[in-house]
Amino acid sequence: MTSMISPKWYQPGQTIGLAAPASPFGRRYFENSLKVLGEMHPGLRLRADGSIFAADGWLAGSDDLRARHLMRLFGAEDVGLVWAYRGGFGSSRVLPLLDLETMAASGRCLMGFSDITCLLAALARHGLIGLHGPTLNQLPHLDLISREDVRSIIKGAPGWPHVLRGRTVTPGKAQGPLLGGNLSLVCHLMGTPWSIPFDGAILFLEDTNEQPYRLDRLLTQLELAGVPGRIKGLALGLFGAHGYVNPERDRAVEQRVREWGVPLVCGLPFGHGPRNRVLPVGAAARIEEPGILKVGLDLA
């Protein structure tokens, strides 16, 4: 894996570039998210050109349109943070159209999760740390500590390292670069030039609304690909519908991975629900007992 560099963190007064690299959305939901953001941080400078409202079936415009919009945001000197409005589907379709080397060299920080896993993983392969964190459409539904994570990013004071608390399933300590994201997308990228470089990593995973047998199938794919023997540790977020705890799905995941032979922490507060803490993808992380994941160790 390429040596990682810290992005140029957003500073107050810079512009936040709003991106739509995946699924489309309506203006009413967009305006509601902006209202909540404005209440949190009055006077923010935002860039949201009309192309983000494009719709082409289940995509926010054509692949070429979405790729060009991302490239413009990463190339804009006044943009300090590129923030995905939502996930959904389609980010992987723009990967061949992006100049990822130039995007990484810009140092612009991208924040999002779910389908945005594809972009975060691709940029990490080119050495740029990104933020697995709330999309803008998730902002109205976040709990206080997750909103505070967002607030700290926008204040230009992320305050690394962050400590996330879950519960230990397989004891032990482990340290390595934090890589992963949405389980479905991690598996989707395997076998492509943008696959996550698992060697020596702390792998973090979350997903939503997948039935237990589908979660089992996805985890089996990772196992058959030899991922358990390549990673240093495993950190699991939330897998229930809409990011809430679902004992059946959580149990299905835990039972499938507890024999992987690596330190395992479950129930961590990241995913599709109101608890979605910001995680720096590619930065150093450490699993500790009892049930602790520390992230951003090399960003302090």
Side-chain angles (χ1 to χ4, degrees):
M1 180 172 169
T2 303
S3 297
M4 302 303 296
I5 59 170
S6 177
K8 302 170 184 175
W9 300 115
Y10 172 88
Q11 296 300 312
Q14 290 183 310
T15 298
I16 296 175
L18 303 180
S23 292
F25 50 87
R27 289 179 181 266
R28 181 168 63 88
Y29 297 102
F30 180 76
E31 290 167 0
N32 183 50
S33 300
L34 290 189
K35 179 182 177 181
V36 174
L37 181 60
E39 291 169 351
M40 289 175 59
H41 290 279
L44 283 176
R45 297 177 60 185
L46 303 174
R47 177 172 299 170
D49 67 38
S51 69
I52 69 169
F53 297 110
D56 183 3
W58 50 81
L59 301 169
S62 69
D63 295 343
D64 183 65
L65 176 71
R66 288 177 289 120
R68 285 190 285 108
H69 186 219
L70 269 179
M71 290 297 300
R72 287 199 304 273
L73 291 177
F74 271 82
E77 289 298 324
D78 61 326
V79 169
L81 175 69
V82 179
W83 194 358
Y85 177 76
R86 65 161 296 183
F89 172 79
S91 295
S92 64
R93 292 178 50 143
V94 305
L95 289 175
L97 305 177
L98 297 174
D99 184 346
L100 291 162
E101 185 174 349
T102 297
M103 291 170 69
S106 77
R108 301 285 183 277
C109 188
L110 172 67
M111 183 161 70
F113 82 117
S114 191
D115 196 67
I116 311 304
T117 292
C118 297
L119 299 172
L120 294 170
L123 289 169
R125 287 193 71 95
H126 284 78
L128 182 63
I129 292 170
L131 297 177
H132 181 281
T135 47
L136 180 55
N137 75 324
Q138 200 188 23
L139 188 60
H141 312 291
L142 294 177
D143 66 8
L144 289 178
I145 191 168
S146 301
R147 283 199 188 192
E148 191 56 39
D149 276 1
V150 173
R151 193 189 310 274
S152 69
I153 296 298
I154 295 174
K155 287 169 60 179
W160 311 113
H162 291 176
V163 177
L164 283 68
R165 300 182 184 277
R167 51 191 174 79
T168 296
V169 175
T170 303
K173 297 181 180 181
Q175 182 164 325
L178 184 70
L179 296 170
N182 181 265
L183 173 59
S184 296
L185 275 301
V186 169
C187 290
H188 172 57
L189 290 175
M190 292 178 69
T192 75
W194 303 278
S195 178
I196 289 172
F198 296 102
D199 295 331
I202 302 294
L203 179 62
F204 73 98
L205 299 170
E206 62 83 31
D207 216 317
T208 184
N209 217 25
E210 296 285 0
Q211 293 299 317
Y213 79 91
R214 288 181 56 84
L215 292 169
D216 184 286
R217 178 190 293 157
L218 292 166
L219 293 166
T220 299
Q221 182 178 354
L222 294 180
E223 187 170 286
L224 293 176
V227 170
R230 298 170 60 186
I231 61 175
K232 292 288 186 65
L234 185 58
L236 301 181
L238 303 173
F239 290 84
H242 308 298
Y244 288 94
V245 172
N246 181 292
E248 181 185 15
R249 292 173 187 174
D250 290 345
R251 184 166 55 251
V253 173
E254 290 175 25
Q255 290 177 345
R256 195 68 188 83
V257 299
R258 67 190 314 156
E259 303 303 324
W260 281 13
V262 296
L264 170 60
V265 178
C266 294
L268 292 162
F270 59 86
H272 280 71
R275 296 187 295 161
N276 194 16
R277 302 290 306 278
V278 173
L279 307 175
V281 179
R286 183 165 60 241
I287 290 175
E288 301 177 354
E289 296 183 53
I292 290 174
L293 174 67
K294 289 185 178 178
V295 300
L297 300 177
D298 49 351
L299 302 179

